Structure formats: structure tokens, C-alpha cells
Amino acid sequence: MSYIRFRKHYLHIPYLVLALLEFGVLFGTFSFLAVFLTFGAAGQGGPGNELGAAFLFAFILSCGTLAMGGYLAMVQESLSALFYRTLVAYCLVGGLGLTLVYVVLPQADPGSTNLLWAVLLASAMVILLRLVFLKLVDSEQLVRRVVIFGAGEFAASLLEEYQQHMRALGVRIIGCIPENSNHVVAADTLLTAPYDFYQFCRQNRVSEIVVAQQERRRNEGGWLPVPELMECKLRGIAVTSALDFCERELKKAKLDMVQPSWIVFSEGFKASKVRNFTKRFVDLALSLMLLLVMAPFILLTAIAVFLETGRPILYSQNRVGMLGKEFRIFKFRSMRQDAEKDGKARWASANDARVTRVGAFIRNTRLDELPQIYNVLKGEMSIVGPRPERPEFVSELKEKIPFYDTRHYVKPGLMGWAQLKYPYGASVDDARGKLEYDLYYSKNHSLVMDFLIMIQTVEVVLLGKGVR
């Protein structure tokens, strides 16, 4: 097994190992420089102070890596992109974080010059470590070899996701075993149905069988080798449904595979009064803190909007919240006053001509969303949750997309899982893609996952991802 599940969120072991190794490299780099080069305050006060400063250094820079999506993104990027992302994570995000922390804990501050050398040396060491890691992950001796049982639409969908995402996660799909004569997948991916499934898996070093069968009843032409799959599972070979496999590997629920029974009988989608109370407490604490920190930016944004296009500075819209209840959402106005003069709701388009110059900037930096802190304080929204949609669009999407209403059983949020994983949604197809991630969040959300989303949202803000 190459993953663990913590608080209902799947974590891949290779990336956990990499994170621990990187933390050790960061800790060791700082400790080495502190001891042998006598880092200012960090080199004073005995070994305990040095170790504490080294731990703080490693922790903040590791959070910077997480915030910039440095673990999963690196296997899909070029060497130059890996180098750039690491420098941004350490020099910009991590460096800024350390500077702020040293204001509160000056005894841990090694001095600006020493800190610069520590960050640069740590960046070089971590880049070398990641290059070695990428070689190992790509090694055929370490990948997870998977066979798909089924050759229909589900199998074809899995293969498409595999080519786009899963190869980078250390998965190798060796082929598809057809359940009947109706094949949708390419002929070169088909395998002959084995007489002995367990021996087939042993000979081909298969660690998991993914059942992507659409017709499970014999009178519909389906064939499911239950005894053979039971033997494989009992003898240590994982047997997984296609939907659960996608959920684990891609952190989303493939909508074309979702059935009502999955929602009814799955482990997730559970309401909890304790979790709701805790989440509300965290929402209030974080929103008040955010309001205090962002107050100068709120004032400057309001002035900029007024100077460019006058009043109104804010605009509001009806949005659909938890359990389908409508509420008014507030934003800084980023479009012309006559953006919807005919009263008809429109999806935002790429390079939308209605967006002003100030509006483009505050959209890219997400400053336009800051008034929604009021909605969080009022209890209509949460810090983390599916983004609320307009009623006009919800009515259309509920008719065209199955299970769309399930996202309304979780309170909407300022930031969300779909916003991290999917580009800006401005069509029915985009809404379908985002719903796959919203379903995953609705099923598995926890405070741990919420904090991970908050940290990773830093990358979205800094790089202006998903903005129109």
C-alpha cells in the first residue's frame, strides 16, 4: 500500500517520505550553518536555542513548499519549472513567513544576511533531493502496477485520467481485462482474461485490481469473477472499485461513475454537530484575524475602485448557500457599473471586456473577495467550502448535472478544494468538472483538510490561477 488515510484524506506515502526528508535537509542545513558559522541569535544561548531556531526554519519553509503545491506539481513540471517553484516557495513565501515570525520571536533570527545564505543553500540541497526522488519515483521497480477489470466507458475514462495525471503519481496501468465483447478502450490495452487471476498478478507484479465494470449482471452481458477477486484480496492484492480508485489517486469523485448507493453507503457524507461547532469557532477566529490583518488592503482597494469608476464600491448578488438557502454575497466591484444592465446573469469570460483595470488587479490577487469576510462572520459562509453559485445558474446546473445539489449540504466558503484543483468555471462542463472535486470535499472534509486548502490557496493568490 502506497498511501495512508488521515482524517479521511488520502496521503501518498512517497510524498510524505519526501516531505520528511526535505524537513530533515532544511533542519540540518540551518543547524550546520548555526553551529559552524555562528548564526547571530540562533548561534547564542546554547544548543536548545539553535535546535528550536532550526526547527522553526524547517517548518516555515516546508509550509512554503506546501503552499506553492511543490510536492504533487513537481512530477508534472520541467526542471526549470521545478527550480522556479522551489525558489518562490523558499525565497518568497518561506522568506516572508520567516521575517514575520522573527518579528514575534527575535531570539530565533539569524540576521538577514545569514538567513539569505541559509535559504539559498537549503534551496539547492532540496532541488538535488527532488531530482533524486523523481528518478526513484519513475523507476519501474517502485511503481504500482495496476490492472483494470473492464474495457468499457469506465475503463476508457480511467485510462484518460491515467495518461494525464496518474503516471506522475507512480501508477502503471498494464492493461484492461475485458468483461465482454463490447470494447471501448484501444485494442493495444486489452489483455486476455487469465485462467488464474492470482497467478497472473504474481507473474506480472500487479499490486492492485481496479474493477471498472459497468454491467454487473450476467443477463446484461457482464461477467464478474467474484471467487477469483476474493482470492486475490485475501492473499494481499488490493481490489478496488474504479470510483474509489479515482477518489484516492485524483482526490475527486468521477461523476460518470457515481451512483446514489455510493453516497448512501459510503463512509463519508456524515453530518456532525461537534465538527460543525468546531468549524464555526475556527471560522470566527480566522475571519476576525483576517479582517484585522487585511484592513489596510480593504481600505486601499475601496479607494482604488472609487477613484477609477466611482460608486458603488461594493456590489452584491444572490447566491445559493447551505441547504439551498439564498443569501447576499458582497464583493468589491471589479466590473463596469453596466456589466449586467439588462439584468441577465452571464458567465464571466476570458479577458472579459466588462472588467476594469483595477478590477483585473483585485481579481488576480483575490482582493475583491475580502468583503465576504462579513458573510463568514454572519454565518452564511465558511472560510473553506464549495464556492456559492448564483441561483440562475444553479437552476440550470441542477437540470443538466446529476448530484449537483449535493454540494449544498456543506456550507459554501471563501476558498475551496475545487478552486485549487480546477480552472475557473464558466460553463456547464466546467461546473461538472468542479463538482467532482466538491463531491470529494463534501464526502471527506475535515479541519485538517481545511487547513491544507488554506495553505495551498497561497499559490492560487500569488500566481493568479483561475481568474477571469
Side-chain angles (χ1 to χ4, degrees), residues 92-381:
L92 179 60
V93 180
L96 179 61
L98 285 169
T99 301
L100 294 175
V101 169
Y102 291 154
V103 172
V104 181
L105 300 172
Q107 66 273 18
D109 188 357
S112 57
T113 302
N114 291 330
L115 178 61
L116 175 62
W117 283 112
V119 170
L120 291 177
L121 180 58
S123 300
M125 297 291 290
V126 165
I127 288 174
L128 289 175
L129 175 63
R130 291 183 179 184
L131 292 176
V132 173
F133 173 80
L134 289 175
K135 292 290 185 183
L136 291 175
V137 167
D138 197 47
S139 171
E140 290 299 324
Q141 299 300 317
L142 296 178
V143 298
R144 291 171 289 139
R145 293 171 63 83
V146 174
V147 65
I148 298 176
F149 182 80
E153 295 288 349
F154 287 180
S157 179
L158 273 181
L159 288 174
E160 182 180 353
E161 294 283 2
Y162 166 68
Q163 293 298 335
Q164 294 178 1
H165 305 292
M166 292 185 196
R167 288 186 66 88
L169 297 174
V171 175
R172 295 294 182 271
I173 294 179
I174 66 171
C176 302
I177 299 173
E179 59 190 281
N180 53 37
S181 59
N182 298 322
H183 307 152
V184 176
V185 301
D188 59 355
T189 64
L190 293 175
L191 301 172
T192 302
Y195 175 77
D196 189 320
F197 270 72
Y198 177 70
Q199 289 302 323
F200 169 83
C201 292
R202 284 195 58 188
Q203 292 168 6
N204 292 277
R205 296 186 290 113
V206 171
S207 60
E208 186 169 11
I209 302 172
V210 177
V211 180
Q213 189 184 35
Q214 290 170 273
E215 298 175 343
R216 297 191 178 182
R217 290 175 291 182
R218 289 185 179 274
N219 60 357
E220 292 180 346
W223 165 63
L224 185 66
V226 175
E228 291 87 345
L229 295 179
M230 286 177 58
E231 180 187 12
C232 288
K233 183 168 185 176
L234 292 172
R235 299 185 70 169
I237 296 171
V239 180
T240 313
S241 72
L243 181 56
D244 290 339
F245 182 73
C246 281
E247 181 185 354
R248 186 186 76 211
E249 299 296 333
L250 302 174
K251 309 298 187 294
K252 68 178 182 180
K254 287 288 289 181
L255 200 57
D256 55 351
M257 301 179 187
V258 172
Q259 299 292 332
S261 58
W262 178 71
I263 297 176
V264 173
F265 297 112
S266 70
E267 185 181 340
F269 298 107
K270 291 181 180 178
S272 169
K273 291 183 178 180
V274 174
R275 184 176 60 204
N276 291 342
F277 175 81
T278 306
K279 187 175 176 68
R280 179 61 181 152
F281 175 80
V282 172
D283 283 341
L284 287 172
L286 289 179
S287 56
L288 289 172
M289 187 185 307
L290 190 61
L291 185 62
L292 180 64
V293 172
M294 299 304 294
F297 298 96
I298 292 175
L299 178 61
L300 290 173
T301 302
I303 293 172
V305 172
F306 177 77
L307 290 177
E308 184 183 31
T309 54
R311 297 180 179 178
I313 295 172
L314 297 177
Y315 87 101
S316 64
Q317 287 179 336
N318 278 349
R319 296 292 174 99
V320 178
M322 191 170 182
L323 301 179
K325 183 179 179 181
E326 292 188 20
F327 67 99
R328 298 291 291 180
I329 197 174
F330 295 91
K331 288 186 177 185
F332 282 116
R333 184 170 54 81
S334 59
M335 291 185 175
R336 303 190 312 262
Q337 290 94 330
D338 61 348
E340 290 182 355
K341 57 185 177 181
D342 57 358
K344 184 178 180 181
R346 294 181 179 87
W347 297 101
S349 59
N351 302 315
D352 200 316
R354 298 174 296 168
V355 178
T356 65
R357 286 177 298 175
V358 169
F361 176 78
I362 64 177
R363 278 176 170 239
N364 276 315
T365 55
R366 298 303 198 276
L367 291 172
D368 64 321
E369 309 280 0
L370 289 177
Q372 291 167 44
I373 296 174
Y374 168 76
N375 295 108
V376 177
L377 291 171
K378 196 175 176 182
E380 297 166 330
M381 293 177 64

Side-chain angles (χ1 to χ4, degrees), residues 400-414:
K400 296 182 177 180
I401 303 176
F403 307 107
Y404 188 81
D405 218 23
T406 55
R407 71 196 303 274
H408 297 134
Y409 286 87
V410 178
K411 189 178 290 187
L414 282 173

